[in-house]
Amino acid sequence: MAIFYYLIFPGFLFTVIVGLLTAWFDRKVTARVQWRKGPPILQNFYDVGKLLIKEVPIPETANKTIFLLAPAIALAAATLSASMLGVINMNWNYTFVGDLIVLWYIMSIPSIMIVVGASASGNPMSSVGASREMNQLIGYELPLVIAISTVVFKVGSLGLGDILAYQANNGPILYSISGVISCIVILICLQAKLGLVPFDIPEAETELGAGAFMEYSGAALGAFKLTKAILLYTSPIFIITLFWGGIQIKGLGILWAILKYILFIALFTLIRNTNPRLRIDQSVRFFWVTMTILAIIALILMSLGY
Amino acid sequence: MPLGLNSLKKSIWVYHVACSPCNNCDIEILDLLTPRFDVERFGIVLVGSVRHADALLVTGMVNRQIKPRLQQLYLQAAKPCVVFAIGSCAVNGNFFRRSYNMAGPVDRVIKEVDPNAIIVYVPGCPPKPESMISGVVKAIGFLDNLKAKKK
Ligand code: SF4
């Protein structure tokens, strides 16, 4: 059963399909914002399908094992985070003590694997990308963890199932001032985790070529693309689970769940399309000052009962 | 998931190599990516790394300095990779063909390192974006032939 969960339903197959469709939605909305027609609905499937038949040249300077292992581990970790969230949303009893912390760790493995893979490739552009990714990781983890702890203190438990049960009894955490503020903080932190535009500093096309992904091609690059797609699916679900009562897969709940999901994806796309890219120092300062202060304000408001 | 050449046809990532052009061809290539022509609807995207490229858009006559770089770029690209010679300069040297630093039009330079390279010629000085799109369409037709041969 665990293998079925991991590979088929809330896991790999399902999330890849939904994630790639979401990535298409993102591209299409971007195109419409720019008065273009945009790619066809299966575009991202074509991209990945094509990458699978391309050859994978390995640079002479690279450490072959780490270079090829990094995308595989990133993909496995992203899939694991998606299946964990999916399974716990399906049945709250599958929760265990501290699964929120486990999930949070697993969700940062892809970013670390990007750093590892990029440094293993031996390309100077990649190493600049890797250092930026690392800086950015250090930047957004601080407000992210404070915002998560707001929810944890409110519920009094580190289990995702308990958070969902609490919201089922007392109403979603989003419907309070502290909830709204920490939700915004997490939304922006996840934007950085996904590497979407104002925070796409590690792969800044116009400065670094492809940054951290410079030397990757073929199936290895495909694995990274799938990782990004899965994370694009996981991030809204993560926010919805923490703040908006999770996803119910029965009756009208499905429709409501899809609406919530699309709302958050639209927010990601909107932020992406209305902001220019930041410099790395601006980004870190933004997270450590503005976002952290916002997150702490939310934490204080929560302890005052708002 | 649609696999293989079928999906390659629908998702061509291009990498722009300027080999001493007069820059007019490059401007036309950038035109191609603007909302007016919007090649993303055919899945054509400009990428920043040659490792990701399915097609090299080469412009300009290739001079002696850039020749080894172009060859190296071609070798670094992940195959299958199509080369587009864009503009009369890239196709046959145009009015630079008797120049002292001309190292041969694009096809000769590429064929030195890979005799079986697929090269698509888009003449014009500069070629219109429409003719570039038609070049891509012809390249796709070539991929179809390749598939038919394989069968
Ligand atoms: S073909 Fe014409 S427009 Fe293009 S690079 Fe040569 S001279 Fe310039």
Side-chain angles (χ1 to χ4, degrees), chain B:
Chain B
M1 198 173 286
L3 278 178
L5 289 172
N6 262 337
S7 45
L8 181 60
K9 281 195 305 194
K10 298 206 169 103
S11 144
I12 299 180
W13 291 356
V14 298
Y15 181 77
H16 185 178
V17 196
C19 294
S20 43
C22 76
N23 274 157
N24 221 333
C25 282
D26 305 78
I27 292 170
E28 292 300 315
I29 289 181
L30 294 186
D31 267 0
L32 199 61
L33 307 169
T34 52
R36 178 171 179 119
F37 293 101
D38 182 27
V39 284
E40 201 189 0
R41 66 202 149 120
F42 308 124
I44 302 176
V45 180
L46 191 71
V47 290
S49 161
V50 73
R51 298 274 195 212
H52 306 179
D54 304 305
L56 302 181
L57 305 182
V58 188
T59 57
M61 51 86 83
V62 183
N63 67 18
R64 287 177 202 285
Q65 276 210 320
I66 201 93
K67 180 183 166 192
R69 273 100 183 169
L70 175 59
Q71 290 174 336
Q72 198 179 2
L73 272 178
Y74 179 76
L75 291 178
Q76 280 178 340
K79 311 289 172 306
C81 178
V82 188
V83 177
F84 282 80
I86 294 205
S88 303
C89 281
V91 171
N92 62 7
N94 208 1
F95 37 69
F96 301 109
R97 67 184 173 282
R98 293 207 180 83
S99 171
Y100 66 97
N101 59 355
M102 165 106 179
V106 170
D107 51 354
R108 206 188 301 155
V109 173
I110 298 281
K111 289 213 161 131
E112 261 176 43
V113 289
D114 179 7
N116 300 325
I118 306 171
I119 298 183
V120 182
Y121 303 90
V122 184
C125 182
K128 282 187 164 191
E130 287 95 330
S131 64
M132 293 186 204
I133 294 180
S134 105
V136 174
V137 171
K138 282 183 186 147
I140 287 174
F142 187 84
L143 286 174
D144 273 341
N145 286 346
L146 212 66
K147 214 169 64 174
K149 251 185 237 162
K150 260 191 185 168
K151 267 178 195 165

Side-chain angles (χ1 to χ4, degrees), chain A residues 89-159:
Chain A
N89 263 306
M90 277 184 342
N91 188 346
W92 301 345
N93 298 327
Y94 280 136
T95 186
F96 54 89
V97 180
D99 53 359
L100 181 55
I101 297 185
V102 175
L103 184 70
W104 170 54
Y105 264 96
I106 293 175
M107 276 175 76
S108 49
I109 288 181
S111 313
I112 293 171
M113 280 305 131
I114 291 174
V115 174
V116 170
S119 334
S121 76
N123 183 309
M125 297 285 206
S126 293
S127 47
V128 176
S131 95
R132 290 180 177 193
E133 174 84 39
M134 199 72 224
N135 277 332
Q136 181 135 288
L137 184 73
I138 294 168
Y140 66 69
E141 289 289 281
L142 179 67
L144 183 63
V145 76
I146 297 178
I148 290 178
S149 61
T150 311
V151 178
V152 171
F153 283 138
K154 186 156 196 161
V155 177
S157 162
L158 271 172

Side-chain angles (χ1 to χ4, degrees), chain A residues 27 34 36-40 43 45-47 49-50 52-55 57 59 209-210 213-217 221 225, chain B residues 1-5 7-8 10-11 13 35 38 40-43 45 48-49 51-54 76-80:
Chain A
R27 279 171 80 170
Q34 298 169 349
R36 292 189 283 126
K37 204 158 167 285
Q43 186 57 51
F45 294 89
Y46 296 138
D47 287 353
K50 168 203 78 176
L52 293 182
I53 62 155
K54 300 271 290 183
E55 71 170 350
F213 305 116
M214 195 81 181
E215 290 289 349
Y216 279 102
S217 65
L221 182 65
K225 292 265 164 207
Chain B
M1 198 173 286
L3 278 178
L5 289 172
S7 45
L8 181 60
K10 298 206 169 103
S11 144
W13 291 356
D38 182 27
E40 201 189 0
R41 66 202 149 120
F42 308 124
V45 180
S49 161
R51 298 274 195 212
H52 306 179
D54 304 305
Q76 280 178 340
K79 311 289 172 306

